[in-house]
Amino acid sequence: MSTSARLLRSINQTARRLFGPNVVYASDQEAILASLNILESRETLEADLFANWQARLSAQLADMTRGFSLSQLAPDLGEDAEALKDQLAQPVPTAVERQAAYQDVMRRWSALVERIAGDPRLPADARLKIVFETGQAELKRVNELCGDLLPPDVVDDTEVTPERLQRYLVDRFSDETIKVTSCRILPGGYGKETTMFAVEGDSFHGEFVMRRDRDEPTVDNDCHRVSREFPVIRAAFEQGFPAPEALWVDTSHELLPGGDFIIMTRAPGTTGGDVHGASGKVDRSLVELLANSVAELHSLPPLHELGALTEAISPELWDLPLKEVTRRYIQSIRDLYLREMVVPSPAVLALYGWVLDNIPDAPGRPVLLHGDIGFHNFIVDDGKLSAVVDWEFAHIGDPADDVGYVRNTVGRSLDWNEFMSIYRAAGGPELSEERIRFFQIWGHLRNLTASQLTTNCFETGKLSELKLGHVGHSMMAGFLAPIIALMEPQSA
């Protein structure tokens, strides 16, 4: 072991002892631990990581071409698979050569497996088997990268400070009586930065929330910029939906340098969990409020006043069939992923091949979707839903999209049959189990895509915040494993 490797190993062990087992989700401690595991694996086990990945992919290609009759059913795909097998068999003695070979093969394999997963010349069960096996292989690869093989204050000058915020508010309201009495940046926020603050003053006072863009959006679509999120929040709020009261959006703010931001009245309460589920059992009253609120959102009339706000909120979409609206949305995110990712994931593209080939042909009209409904975006006050926040993923689409996402994030915490019964009684449409399951898979895939694009921003130098550097790797299993579990019964 080299001196550098020994030092890195010591830092990693010290960090684990220092932070302990109870690390907060999306905290700096989590980012440091995950990033050190990835760094140590890459620096000390690079050859092993490559060899294991190479062996698994070689075996999968051999099994696929031999047992799948690929050359007979789709000769062009079979030819490409054989070429990949030949490339994998070539010697790559140095780390630089291995990295180049890895990137090239991953790009080619990602493109090939997407074509295989979506090619109707091949049997549907065989294609699903390839998607499932590719997902399992990616789980193995990313888990090794994140540490499975390892042995048993810089302050940004754009930081939101009380002094800067107070100067901004005094100037905005021309009121010298305004005082910022508290100001706290919340943990989390891979897409945006959230600051809670309180103000006293004659013309402006109370408790508020600022949602601020990063210098560059981690995912530049939907409403990931506050200038696009603001009108959606306002429109939902004005229709009576429990969205936050968005007061203003500012895209020109010399006294508060940094990203553009929305100022909202703070809703009473706290979040009820994180992106993976609720923090406790959900009682019936909250199930009723949740189901009624989702049904209420899906019952809103077409919000033509939003105009051509984003690619996924545009006037013509309100009148399209649900399948076509969904196809356009999924295709747009898939295209964004391919444009931005330096090294795409074969599992991700295999799944895009599958989902684009299996979009439900559902009745009904497109509706406004929140796109990220879960307890991480519920403000709960004394057991009641105070507000649904963070509308970054808002778009027009199939109501089953939101419902499938609810099932992903809170389904284990509530009586699902009861939720669906209340949802339908409140005006929500009939949704088949198969349709909901499809959007569960899509919800996890979209989050997986977003997490990889986030880390891609870090790795390409667009953003430098440490906690962005690991999520595309360390959170992959949290999104990909549930997809595999949802698909597994069909793979037999």
Side-chain angles (χ1 to χ4, degrees):
M1 181 182 291
S2 68
T3 302
S4 296
R6 188 176 295 109
L7 178 60
L8 182 56
R9 179 67 180 158
S10 177
I11 292 172
N12 205 354
Q13 291 174 325
T14 302
R16 284 197 289 269
R17 289 197 302 269
L18 179 63
F19 297 143
N22 300 316
V23 175
V24 176
Y25 166 76
S27 65
D28 288 342
Q29 290 91 335
E30 182 200 46
I32 290 169
L33 289 173
S35 299
L36 282 172
N37 271 346
I38 293 168
L39 182 60
E40 186 179 353
S41 295
R42 282 175 169 168
E43 293 298 315
T44 64
L45 299 168
E46 176 272 333
D48 292 334
L49 292 173
F50 181 88
N52 291 351
W53 163 79
Q54 182 185 44
R56 285 192 296 267
L57 182 52
S58 296
Q60 186 181 1
L61 283 166
D63 180 66
M64 182 179 69
T65 54
R66 182 176 57 252
F68 199 19
S69 300
L70 193 60
S71 297
Q72 287 75 34
L73 295 174
D76 55 321
L77 300 180
E79 182 178 343
D80 289 348
E82 290 295 337
L84 265 185
K85 286 169 58 180
D86 292 341
Q87 183 174 353
L88 281 169
Q90 299 301 312
V92 278
T94 70
V96 172
E97 290 172 322
R98 285 192 292 269
Q99 179 66 11
Y102 162 76
Q103 292 185 355
D104 185 57
V105 170
M106 284 287 273
R107 291 191 191 98
R108 294 177 62 191
W109 172 228
S110 295
L112 176 59
V113 80
E114 181 186 26
R115 290 163 57 205
I116 291 172
D119 196 323
R121 292 176 295 176
L122 308 176
D125 59 342
R127 287 187 283 150
L128 185 60
K129 180 174 183 289
I130 294 299
V131 174
F132 180 71
E133 290 176 350
T134 304
Q136 288 182 312
E138 277 292 274
L139 276 178
K140 186 70 173 176
R141 180 186 69 82
V142 78
N143 285 338
E144 289 183 351
L145 176 62
C146 290
D148 273 8
L149 298 182
L150 293 176
D153 193 353
V154 178
V155 178
D156 194 335
D157 64 4
T158 62
E159 181 184 5
V160 178
T161 65
E163 296 76 19
R164 286 176 173 168
L165 182 56
Q166 183 168 302
R167 283 196 300 270
Y168 165 80
L169 294 171
V170 167
D171 179 75
R172 180 178 180 87
F173 289 93
S174 300
D175 183 356
E176 294 289 342
T177 70
I178 288 178
K179 305 294 180 187
V180 173
T181 58
S182 66
C183 179
R184 179 167 63 95
I185 298 175
L186 300 184
Y190 290 113
K192 290 187 176 73
E193 179 184 88
T194 302
T195 301
M196 298 178 64
F197 64 97
V199 177
E200 295 177 355
D202 293 342
S203 56
F204 187 64
H205 55 86
E207 294 187 341
F208 305 94
V209 176
M210 172 191 289
R211 289 272 290 162
R212 187 166 74 152
D213 286 341
R214 297 188 180 280
D215 293 336
E216 293 284 344
T218 53
V219 184
D220 195 7
N221 71 334
D222 291 344
C223 298
H224 288 280
R225 295 182 187 267
V226 294
S227 59
R228 302 194 294 250
E229 186 179 12
F230 177 76
V232 177
I233 296 174
R234 285 290 292 268
F237 180 83
E238 289 169 0
Q239 289 285 338
F241 186 77
E245 183 185 15
L247 302 176
W248 72 84
V249 60
D250 200 330
T251 58
S252 178
H253 36 85
E254 292 182 5
L255 293 178
L256 202 58
D260 298 339
F261 55 85
I262 303 173
I263 301 295
M264 298 172 284
T265 301
R266 180 184 174 185
T270 59
T271 56
D274 62 30
V275 70
H276 300 295
S279 57
K281 186 67 177 176
V282 181
D283 62 31
R284 192 178 193 283
S285 64
L286 189 55
V287 174
E288 289 179 353
L289 191 53
L290 170 61
N292 285 324
S293 297
V294 177
E296 180 185 355
L297 176 63
H298 296 166
S299 299
L300 294 179
L303 300 179
H304 291 292
E305 62 267 30
L306 292 174
L309 184 65
T310 70
E311 185 178 358
I313 299 179
S314 190
E316 74 277 5
L317 298 179
W318 298 108
D319 300 316
L320 289 178
L322 286 176
K323 183 175 182 178
E324 176 60 16
V325 174
T326 300
R327 185 198 67 77
R328 291 189 185 192
Y329 184 63
I330 294 175
Q331 185 73 45
S332 70
I333 297 181
R334 179 261 184 197
D335 292 347
L336 172 67
Y337 179 78
L338 275 187
R339 285 196 307 271
E340 297 293 331
M341 286 296 294
V342 175
V343 181
S345 162
V348 169
L349 285 177
L351 284 163
Y352 273 109
W354 185 87
V355 297
L356 285 167
D357 189 50
N358 285 272
I359 299 170
D361 193 1
R365 66 172 180 87
V367 301
L368 178 67
L369 304 174
H370 178 276
D372 195 12
I373 289 186
F375 275 114
H376 57 302
N377 285 329
F378 295 155
I379 305 299
V380 180
D381 184 38
D382 194 24
K384 296 183 179 180
L385 184 61
S386 176
V388 180
V389 300
D390 297 1
W391 292 67
E392 294 174 313
F393 284 102
H395 62 283
I396 298 169
D398 189 325
D401 193 333
D402 268 347
V403 172
Y405 201 87
V406 170
R407 191 166 192 177
N408 282 347
T409 57
V410 303
R412 297 183 300 275
S413 305
L414 49 76
D415 184 320
W416 184 250
N417 290 331
E418 181 179 51
F419 171 86
M420 289 303 300
S421 177
I422 298 169
Y423 171 78
R424 288 191 296 268
E430 287 285 341
L431 303 174
S432 69
E433 181 69 20
E434 182 180 4
R435 186 171 162 194
I436 293 172
R437 178 181 159 276
F438 171 86
F439 282 105
Q440 285 185 263
I441 292 170
W442 164 238
H444 287 308
L445 175 57
R446 196 223 42 210
N447 282 351
L448 175 54
T449 301
S451 70
Q452 291 201 338
L453 287 170
T454 296
T455 291
N456 190 69
C457 285
F458 180 88
E459 293 181 344
T460 57
K462 288 176 65 177
L463 295 168
S464 59
E465 190 173 352
L466 179 61
K467 71 179 178 183
L468 306 180
H470 72 88
V471 296
H473 307 299
S474 65
M475 293 180 67
M476 187 179 193
F479 298 126
L480 185 52
I483 292 176
I484 292 175
L486 285 163
M487 301 180 83
E488 190 166 11
Q490 293 193 358
S491 66

